Amino acid sequence: MTDALRTPEDKFANLPDWPYEPHYLERPDGLRLHYVDEGRRHAKTFLCLHGQPTWSYLYRRMIPVFSRTDRVIAPDFLGFGRSDKPADEAAYSFDLHRHSLIALIEALDLSHIALVVQDWGGLIGLTLPMAMPERFEALLVMNTLLATGDEPLSPGFLDWRAFSNLNPDMDIARLMKRACPHIGEQEAAAYAAPFPDATSKAGVRAFPNLVPDRPDAAGAALSRQARDFWRNAWTGRSLMAIGMKDPVLGPPVMRRLHAQIRNCPPPLEIAEGGHFLQEWGETIARIASDAL
């Protein structure tokens, strides 16, 4: 088994608006991938993918809406949430995260999937449907991008990467409170719960430096293939929501992505929404449930 940390279960006790029982997929290398599994089996599945430095807790405003009529699967990437956290930053890669999600989809035999993505959830998640198009039928995309390596990354992202690299023991609760000023102190602390010390934040530190930023970077070729898939082969329903106050992956980035998704209707523009748009997500989830 890869040398990894496992956040103690008591760190997840009594988190606000988080009553969900944990579920785990054990990988061949011994690492456990955690996921939330709620709602109705044999229905459409909303597959909800978070980004950095969050975990599936980010979807707590959307899971209750989706699970009223459908199934919700919300995994934690390796290095985040209740999933195991390899201690070595070098253990993290684009392929590690992508293959972990493919393995989860196959192990649970998910079908009729509505893919819900934001931040790294999109960087990885938007490359999944081309590998198994028969399983996917809808897309909800929020504040993310396809990093294809042949287009420059936004100044906002480059600033974020520099900030992350300068803060190896990032204060996640403080960050979330600043980005989402309407959340309470307990909610902000819940985002930090999986990361009790700097050692547990290897995945948090690794993610910004994994974003493909040149044509030969790991994941760039896959992302270009995904761009072609979304432009030319996608036949499912789509919905885009943009947090208009996002300084990292905001309106300019999202409008470029919108042009790459075949038959995507005009986006929802959430005027007060920031980068972590799920924190404004209950209304978005209701619209998505109807539209998708």
Side-chain angles (χ1 to χ4, degrees), residues 100-122:
S100 294
L101 292 177
I102 289 173
L104 179 67
I105 292 167
E106 291 177 341
L108 299 180
D109 194 22
L110 301 182
S111 62
H112 304 291
I113 297 172
L115 179 65
V116 183
V117 299
Q118 178 263 344
D119 194 79
W120 260 101

Side-chain angles (χ1 to χ4, degrees), residues 3-132:
D3 184 26
L5 307 172
R6 187 168 289 172
T7 304
E9 281 297 308
D10 62 6
K11 297 292 184 182
F12 302 99
N14 303 315
L15 300 183
D17 300 318
W18 196 248
Y20 307 117
E21 292 296 320
H23 301 265
Y24 295 97
L25 175 71
E26 186 161 327
R27 292 162 38 93
D29 59 9
L31 294 173
R32 290 196 319 181
L33 186 81
H34 167 261
Y35 60 97
V36 171
D37 188 349
E38 296 292 320
R40 296 173 52 210
R41 304 297 187 273
H42 311 298
K44 178 166 73 264
T45 297
F46 284 90
L47 177 62
C48 300
L49 305 181
H50 70 85
Q52 184 254 8
T54 62
W55 57 291
S56 53
Y57 185 75
L58 184 64
Y59 282 97
R60 74 192 180 286
R61 301 184 192 273
M62 303 178 83
I63 291 172
V65 178
F66 292 149
S67 62
R68 285 174 196 154
T69 55
D70 297 292
R71 187 180 186 183
V72 182
I73 301 292
D76 295 331
F77 282 112
L78 291 171
F80 295 81
R82 274 186 157 110
S83 289
D84 286 347
K85 301 170 180 64
D88 184 359
E89 289 176 46
Y92 295 92
S93 69
F94 195 101
D95 283 346
L96 172 78
H97 293 303
R98 184 171 187 264
H99 292 157
S100 294
L101 292 177
I102 289 173
L104 179 67
I105 292 167
E106 291 177 341
L108 299 180
D109 194 22
L110 301 182
S111 62
H112 304 291
I113 297 172
L115 179 65
V116 183
V117 299
Q118 178 263 344
D119 194 79
W120 260 101
L123 282 151
I124 299 289
L126 290 171
T127 73
L128 299 177
M130 66 181 183
M132 43 182 66

Side-chain angles (χ1 to χ4, degrees), residues 94 123 126-127 130 146-151 212-232 260:
F94 195 101
L123 282 151
L126 290 171
T127 73
M130 66 181 183
L146 274 168
T148 54
D150 57 359
E151 297 179 358
D213 56 4
R214 60 187 191 281
D216 61 346
L222 271 170
S223 299
R224 290 193 294 273
Q225 292 170 28
R227 180 177 60 191
D228 291 343
F229 170 86
W230 290 104
R231 282 176 173 172
N232 302 313
Q260 297 169 355

